[in-house]
Structure formats: C-alpha cells, structure tokens
C-alpha cells in the first residue's frame, strides 16, 4: 500500500460495491490478518482485474481508509466523488447478480426495446441488484466516466454507457447525465435529491454525507447528529447554489409547514423539476436565524393571509406556469410561514404569476421541524446536542438508558436539561463490545429570568456505570461541576467531554462534544500486483 498526492497520483482502478459482513479493514490489511476475511477475495479479484487492464494500482474503500481516524474519514468522504471521477476505470461488483447476463444482450445493442423486452430486462437480477439501493453507490455511479459491471463470479455484464438505458430506468437519472454529456450543475437541486430518494444508508447521517460530491459541497462530519445532518447539508446547498427547487418538496410522512425537507424521500416526486430560466435572475437568498430571507414574487389569494411564492422552477413537461410554494402571512409585514392548510407545492397560473408582486420576504423555518422536540422552552430548560468524535468510529455507541427518559430524543441526539442543584440529565452509552460510559449534565442559572444569555453554569461529568444501580442512582453521587471533564479507561483510552454554545439551524444549542483521540493518515492505493 502506498500514498500518493496531487499530480503524482498514477492511473488506477477503483471498486464500487455494497458492504457485506466480514470486510477487510485498513489495519487488517496492514497486518495481513485480513486474508481470513470473506471480503479479502473481493479485494484480491479487484487487483487481478486491474492487472489484466494494465493498471498498476487500485483503491478499495474498505481497506484504503483508516476509519479509526475521524480526521481521515472526514477527508475521505469529502474527497470521495473526485477520487471516483479521476479513476481510469471503476469496477462495479454486483454480489447478488449471477454470471448469466444473456438477458442484457439486447440492451447493449443500442436499439429501441419493446415494452415487453424492457419489462423482462427490469425483472433481471441486474436491474434488481441491491447496489442500486445504497446511498454511497449513487456518486459511484455518476462520478466515473468509465464503469465496468461484473457479476459475483467476475463475469463481465456491460459498461455504464452500453447499459445506460436500463440504468436510467432503474435509477431515474437522465442518460445524458450517466454518460457525462450533461454537467451535474445543469440539473436542478430537486432532481439530484430525487435520485437519492429511494436509497438508504446504515447511519442516518450518511444519507447527507454520501451526497456531498454530487453537489460539490464540503462540510464537517458530525456522526451523532442524526437527522440534523440532512438539514445542515441543505443549508450548505442554499449557501452555495442559487436554485429554489430545493424548497419544492412534498411528503405525506412529515408536516408540510417546514421549509427544508427532513430527508431525501421528500423529493421522490421531484425527478422532473427543472430550473425556470426566465425567473433565475431574481436575486440571491440566504438562511438567517429567523428563516429564509429572499426576494421573489408573492401572489395574494382570496383567503385572508393566504398567498403563493413563485419559485424559479417548473415541471419539465409542464409549460403552463412555474411551481409555487403555499404560504400564510404572519402578522408582521413580509413574514410568512409555509402553509399547512393547502397543498405545499402546486403549479401557478402563468398569467397570474406575471402579476405577482415582488417582495423581500422572510419565510420561517417552521415550528413543526422534526429536529425540534415538543418541550417547553423557558429559562428553566436547556437543550443539549450530544456529539461523539472518534468513539463511534471504533464501534458504534448507542444510548441504552436516558435520564429522564422523556427528555432524550434519539432522532436528533438532543437532551433537555432543567435548572437545579442536582444532576438534571444523563445518558448511558454502550457499544457491541460492552464498553460503556455515562455522561451527566446540569446547570445552575446565574442570571435572572429576564437575562437568558448566561450559560457559564452549564456543566458536564463523565463516569463509569455502577453495576446494579440505575442511571438516576449513579448520578446522585456526582459533585464535580465543570464545563470540561475527562477520564481514563483501560479500553476506551482518554475521553474528554466539553460544552460549547452554537447556533444551528437558527437555534441556540449547548453542544456537548465527547472526544476520543485517534491517529490520522492520508488516502492510499493498493498495488494490483
């Protein structure tokens, strides 16, 4: 294994696959212990294939990234799209597809298939492969210019170009995008998010992180933030890309009166949304603490307070008018919220849209945002967001007990803490190896009820669980109260907890960072021989 940088990177092959049990890790490859793993054969066969293609190097994500290093993992994820794009060839290894690819012969002949032929092809193992359902393989499909598909016994199925018809049908991605004839930034944000709407990742956060390269966005990874990752990802899109289709989502699974989508499934019907070029020059916009500050046409409706915001996007097959976002005006001038009384998005009549009034508006984020729990906000309460760094990369830690249980949200990784002299909130973390620790939180208010800006009395404490004692009982004996606390563990090493205050999605939160130090290394390639 060897490291390369910038212009010194040689021609190399890269592997795209679905992760299975018993993969070879970076450290196991270094010690050759990985040869006993089932995943070793996949790496070995990738090297042999590259050798036959006269390539001296390969990159495989299972063993070329040191995932015990949070810094290296973050760098790798932010660079992944470019690594796949720069590869000479990408081998897509489909473990659930047999070597019999006879059904796909017609697809490779560049002729128009009949409906019956396409139905038969869509029922093939290739079209139903698990590879099309995973979040990470989306960028691995789009980024490389050359992809060669192989079955589980490494029999050649076809290339991305020769199979683009069926791949487009399976994924909803335009064939011109698949063949790199249309740049990604020529497609709308809503379209790109629709490609991920039927895909999944093991970790909630990865559903946002796996899309970074598709939008040419870099952002820090915060494993432990849960559903917040996708909101933070959309905020980065708003900052970087002037495309209002990001607000044109619909979902029956979530409240409709929030501005940003809770997850990619909300864009499942947005695959045919395109930019409305004649409206694109209306000006930029920005997310603020209050919501979205934007200049756009507002169309008043007959119902008191009801109106439509005309967005700079439309449905590709509909030229009758642009897409509008249903709003309801608040008491304050030019302050609106997304309406929950009418359909969230609809096609506006072009004639009426032309008579809409240009306004500098603020559209609120929405109080039904699922990242905000229904818990009373007052000077007696503090909302704390728990972030793990390094720990979850060794073996995923989960909260096995929360105190009080009703104050903990698993989805958003937040714990409400009330004012008092005793411990007011605590979490018990444990991983599959049985390693565990407790983090306890509390605060004593130093300011008055009128002055809610003081936070220096918030404190954190780390401890080991005590056998046969509940979390509440363990917390009763805690007396040390500091904004920073650490302890040494035989297996976990040195663990440090610190508290800071951050504004996230316009909300002031107290962030508790629990850190375990790890070594860092750059990306690597394996020799194919």
């Amino acid at each position: 294994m060897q490291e390369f940088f910038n212009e010194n990177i040689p021609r190399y092959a890269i592997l795209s696959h679905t992760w299975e049990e018993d993969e070879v890790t970076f450290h196991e490859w270094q010690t050759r212990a990985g040869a006993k793993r089932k995943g070793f054969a996949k790496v070995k066969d990738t090297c042999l294939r590259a050798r036959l293609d006269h390539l001296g190097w390969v990159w495989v994500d299972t063993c070329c990234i040191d995932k015990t290093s949070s810094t290296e993992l973050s760098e790798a994820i932010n660079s992944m799209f470019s690594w796949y794009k720069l590869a000479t060839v990408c081998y897509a290894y489909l473990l659930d597809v047999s070597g019999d690819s006879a059904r796909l012969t017609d697809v490779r002949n560049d002729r128009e298939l009949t409906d019956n032929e396409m139905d038969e092809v869509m029922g093939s193992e290739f079209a139903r492969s698990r590879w099309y359902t995973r979040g990470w393989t989306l960028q691995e499909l789009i980024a490389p210019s050359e992809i060669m598909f192989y079955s589980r016994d490494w029999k050649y199925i076809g290339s991305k170009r020769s199979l683009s018809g069926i791949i487009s049908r399976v994924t909803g991605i335009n064939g011109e995008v698949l063949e790199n004839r249309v740049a990604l930034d020529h497609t709308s944000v809503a379209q790109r998010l629709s490609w991920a709407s039927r895909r999944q990742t093991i970790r909630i956060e990865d559903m946002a992180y796996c899309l970074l390269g598709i939008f040419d966005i870099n952002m820090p990874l915060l494993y432990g933030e849960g559903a917040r990752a996708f909101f933070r990802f959309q905020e980065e899109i708003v900052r970087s890309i002037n495309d209002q289709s990001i607000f044109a989502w619909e979902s029956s699974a979530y409240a409709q009166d929030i501005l940003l989508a809770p997850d990619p499934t909300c864009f499942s019907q947005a695959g045919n949304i395109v930019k409305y070029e004649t409206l694109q020059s209306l000006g930029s916009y920005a997310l603020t603490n209050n919501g979205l500050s934007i200049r756009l046409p507002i169309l008043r409706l007959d119902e008191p307070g009801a109106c439509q915001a005309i967005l700079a996007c439309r449905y590709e097959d509909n030229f009758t008018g642009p897409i509008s976002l249903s709003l309801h005006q608040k008491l304050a001038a030019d302050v609106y919220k997304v309406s929950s009384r009418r359909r969230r998005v609809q096609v506006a009549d072009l004639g009426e849209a032309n008579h809409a009034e240009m306004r500098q508006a603020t559209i609120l984020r929405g109080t039904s945002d699922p990242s905000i729990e229904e818990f009373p906000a007052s000077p007696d309460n503090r909302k704390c967001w728990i972030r793990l760094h390094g720990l979850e990369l060794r073996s995923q830690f989960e909260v096995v007990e929360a105190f009080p249980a009703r104050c903990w949200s698993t989805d958003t990784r937040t714990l409400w803490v009330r004012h008092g002299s005793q411990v007011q909130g605590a979490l018990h973390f444990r991983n599959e190896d049985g390693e565990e620790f407790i983090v306890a939180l509390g605060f004593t208010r130093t300011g008055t009820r009128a002055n809610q800006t003081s936070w220096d009395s918030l404190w954190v404490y780390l401890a080991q669980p005590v056998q046969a004692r509940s979390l509440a009982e363990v917390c009763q004996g805690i007396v040390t109260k500091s904004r920073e606390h650490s302890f040494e563990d035989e297996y976990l090493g040195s663990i440090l907890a610190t508290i800071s205050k951050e504004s996230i999605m316009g909300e002031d939160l107290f962030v508790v960072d629990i850190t375990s130090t790890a070594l860092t290394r750059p990306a690597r390639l394996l020799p194919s021989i």
Side-chain angles (χ1 to χ4, degrees):
M1 186 178 294
Q2 188 169 334
E3 301 167 355
F4 296 93
F5 299 90
N6 304 323
E7 66 276 0
N8 295 321
I9 297 176
R11 295 171 70 247
Y12 63 96
I14 199 165
L15 179 67
S16 176
H17 65 114
T18 55
W19 280 49
E20 309 293 336
E21 294 182 359
D22 217 26
E23 297 284 3
V24 181
T25 68
F26 167 74
H27 291 291
E28 289 170 339
W29 184 270
Q30 295 288 82
T31 61
R32 301 304 181 190
K36 299 178 181 179
R37 296 278 194 181
K38 290 182 180 179
F40 179 80
K42 177 166 47 179
V43 179
K44 179 181 178 182
D45 290 340
T46 301
C47 293
L48 292 175
R49 180 69 258 172
R51 201 174 163 192
L52 291 173
D53 291 336
H54 307 290
L55 296 171
W57 300 92
V58 301
W59 188 87
V60 181
D61 55 357
T62 56
C63 55
C64 288
I65 304 173
D66 182 0
K67 297 174 185 66
T68 64
S69 164
S70 57
T71 301
E72 178 169 331
L73 182 63
S74 180
E75 178 187 348
I77 289 177
N78 277 283
S79 305
M80 198 79 70
F81 188 89
S82 63
W83 290 349
Y84 275 87
K85 185 176 182 178
L86 294 173
T88 302
V89 63
C90 172
Y91 301 136
Y93 176 67
L94 310 185
L95 183 63
D96 53 356
V97 177
S98 68
D100 182 12
S101 58
R103 297 183 172 202
L104 304 181
T105 302
D106 284 338
V107 182
R108 298 200 298 266
N109 287 338
D110 295 327
R111 69 174 179 83
E112 192 72 24
L113 297 181
T114 66
D115 290 342
N116 288 337
E117 288 174 328
M118 182 56 80
D119 288 342
E120 183 180 2
V121 167
M122 291 301 292
S124 67
E125 288 182 337
F126 178 79
R128 293 183 288 108
S129 175
R130 180 172 173 264
W131 188 82
Y132 292 110
T133 70
R134 309 311 300 165
W136 290 105
T137 56
L138 176 59
Q139 67 175 357
E140 296 166 14
L141 169 62
I142 294 173
S145 58
E146 184 71 29
I147 300 181
M148 313 299 285
F149 289 91
Y150 290 92
S151 66
R152 59 172 165 262
D153 50 1
W154 285 91
K155 289 186 177 179
Y156 179 63
I157 300 173
S159 68
K160 180 169 71 167
R161 183 175 299 275
S162 68
L163 298 170
S164 64
I166 185 172
I167 296 173
S168 178
R169 184 81 171 265
V170 172
T171 63
I173 304 173
N174 188 294
E176 293 181 331
V177 174
L178 288 173
E179 297 173 21
N180 304 107
R181 290 187 284 119
V182 170
L184 280 175
D185 57 9
H186 287 181
T187 62
S188 73
V189 166
Q191 275 184 314
R192 281 178 269 177
L193 290 172
S194 76
W195 302 337
S197 63
R198 294 178 178 83
R199 293 175 179 257
Q200 298 177 332
T201 56
I202 294 176
R203 305 200 63 167
I204 296 175
E205 299 90 344
D206 283 339
M207 206 59 247
Y209 302 160
C210 72
L211 300 175
L212 294 179
I214 292 174
F215 291 88
D216 195 20
I217 284 173
N218 290 288
M219 72 181 203
L221 311 187
L222 304 173
Y223 281 107
E225 65 179 324
R228 288 183 181 278
F230 194 67
F231 286 101
R232 194 161 58 90
F233 168 63
Q234 290 175 94
E235 289 182 332
E236 291 298 326
I237 292 177
V238 171
R239 291 189 187 99
S240 306
I241 305 172
N242 185 6
D243 187 334
Q244 297 173 12
S245 69
I246 192 172
F247 309 117
W249 60 270
E250 289 186 284
S251 174
S252 60
Y254 298 101
Q256 300 293 289
D257 61 349
I258 54 178
L259 183 63
L260 298 177
D263 64 47
T265 63
C266 298
F267 292 90
S268 61
Q269 304 302 314
N272 64 338
I273 293 180
V274 297
K275 301 174 186 178
Y276 205 139
E277 300 299 340
T278 58
L279 297 176
Q280 279 298 110
S281 60
L282 291 178
S284 59
Y285 47 86
L287 283 170
T288 68
N289 288 345
N290 293 326
L292 179 71
S293 177
I294 184 171
R295 179 173 173 79
L296 80 176
I298 300 289
L299 181 64
R300 307 287 177 180
L301 303 180
D302 293 336
E303 180 186 340
C307 52
Q308 290 176 292
I310 308 302
L311 301 179
C313 57
R314 63 174 178 84
Y315 293 107
E316 188 172 18
D317 55 354
N318 191 324
F319 294 90
T320 61
I323 294 174
S324 67
L325 180 65
S326 297
L327 300 179
H328 188 84
Q329 188 171 12
K330 304 289 283 184
L331 292 177
D334 291 322
V335 176
Y336 307 83
K337 70 171 185 177
V338 181
S339 176
S340 58
R341 302 176 185 176
R342 306 188 310 282
R343 183 174 177 179
R344 178 187 169 87
V345 296
Q346 49 195 307
V347 177
D349 180 83
L350 185 58
E352 293 181 353
N354 287 333
H355 292 91
E357 182 182 5
M358 290 295 300
R359 307 291 298 181
Q360 182 65 42
T362 296
I363 304 176
L364 302 178
R365 292 172 180 266
T367 55
S368 298
D369 190 321
S371 69
I372 303 174
E373 304 82 8
E374 292 298 325
F375 196 92
S378 78
D380 291 328
N381 302 330
R382 292 291 186 271
K383 189 176 182 181
C384 301
W385 179 24
I386 313 298
R387 297 192 301 207
L388 301 181
H389 302 273
L391 287 164
E392 82 287 358
L393 301 178
R394 290 197 196 117
S395 184
Q396 185 173 351
F397 278 82
E398 299 290 349
V399 174
V400 295
E401 184 184 1
F403 166 73
R406 75 181 185 92
C407 297
W408 167 247
S409 169
T410 302
D411 291 337
T412 62
R413 312 285 291 189
T414 50
L415 179 71
W416 280 100
V417 180
R418 294 183 62 84
H419 165 257
S421 58
Q422 300 297 321
V423 173
Q424 295 303 311
L427 300 171
H428 181 178
F429 287 89
R430 181 187 297 146
N431 67 11
E432 59 186 14
D433 297 323
E435 300 165 345
E436 54 190 341
F437 64 93
I438 287 174
V439 56
L441 301 164
F443 81 95
T444 51
R445 190 175 55 243
T446 57
T448 64
R449 285 184 178 270
N451 178 17
Q452 300 180 32
T453 60
S454 177
W455 64 278
D456 58 352
S457 57
L458 197 72
W459 51 267
V460 63
Y461 185 83
L462 290 169
Q464 288 281 18
V466 179
Q467 191 173 8
R469 295 184 67 186
S470 69
L471 189 56
E473 291 173 332
V474 172
C475 292
Q476 288 178 355
I478 297 175
V479 294
T480 302
K481 298 178 179 180
S482 169
R483 287 210 308 263
E484 179 177 301
H485 191 250
S486 64
F487 79 100
E488 299 288 334
D489 180 86
E490 180 180 358
Y491 300 102
L492 298 176
S494 178
I495 300 179
L496 172 68
T498 58
I499 292 179
S500 60
K501 189 174 183 180
E502 295 184 21
S503 179
I504 300 172
M505 293 177 60
E507 181 183 14
D508 288 336
L509 294 179
F510 299 100
V511 180
V512 181
D513 286 301
I514 304 172
T515 306
S516 175
T517 305
L519 298 175
T520 62
R521 293 177 64 90
R524 306 158 182 87
L525 293 177
L526 298 174
S528 63
I529 54 175

